Amino acid sequence: TGRINLMNAGFARDPQPIEAGCTCYTCQNFTRAYLRHLIMAKEMLAGTLISIHNLHTLIELMRQAREAIIAGQYAAFSAEFLANYVA
């Protein structure tokens, strides 16, 4: 997934989660607009919620990589991930 800069004013009223389809606590319960508000207000909760999302994303990536390794499909998994990765 690509990085999102929640400080961008365009997110001030955005009702979407950080990442569509993400099952983490943050994405299931908070909008980009609310997270932007927390960042702009310098609330510590912003960092906590964003960290929850980031850790969930990394844990999910590692789960998928393990599955690919077990299935003998890591090369294909890796190639697909890198082809779709947006920095």
Side-chain angles (χ1 to χ4, degrees):
T1 63
R3 288 192 287 182
I4 295 175
N5 180 358
L6 289 172
M7 292 178 64
N8 185 318
F11 293 116
R13 298 187 189 280
D14 192 335
Q16 300 299 311
I18 295 174
E19 181 179 350
C22 179
T23 60
C24 79
Y25 175 79
T26 300
C27 288
Q28 294 297 306
N29 294 286
F30 301 97
T31 66
R32 291 177 182 176
Y34 182 66
L35 292 168
R36 180 183 185 277
H37 160 74
L38 293 175
I39 292 167
M40 300 308 287
K42 298 184 184 339
E43 290 285 342
M44 290 176 55
L45 180 58
T48 300
L49 292 173
I50 293 167
S51 292
I52 288 170
H53 170 74
N54 290 342
L55 288 169
H56 174 85
T57 299
L58 290 173
I59 290 167
E60 179 61 19
L61 175 62
M62 293 303 103
R63 184 192 63 73
Q64 292 172 2
R66 277 192 306 276
E67 285 182 1
I69 290 167
I70 290 168
Q73 300 295 319
Y74 184 76
F77 168 80
S78 176
E80 181 180 347
F81 175 81
L82 292 173
N84 294 310
Y85 184 75
V86 178

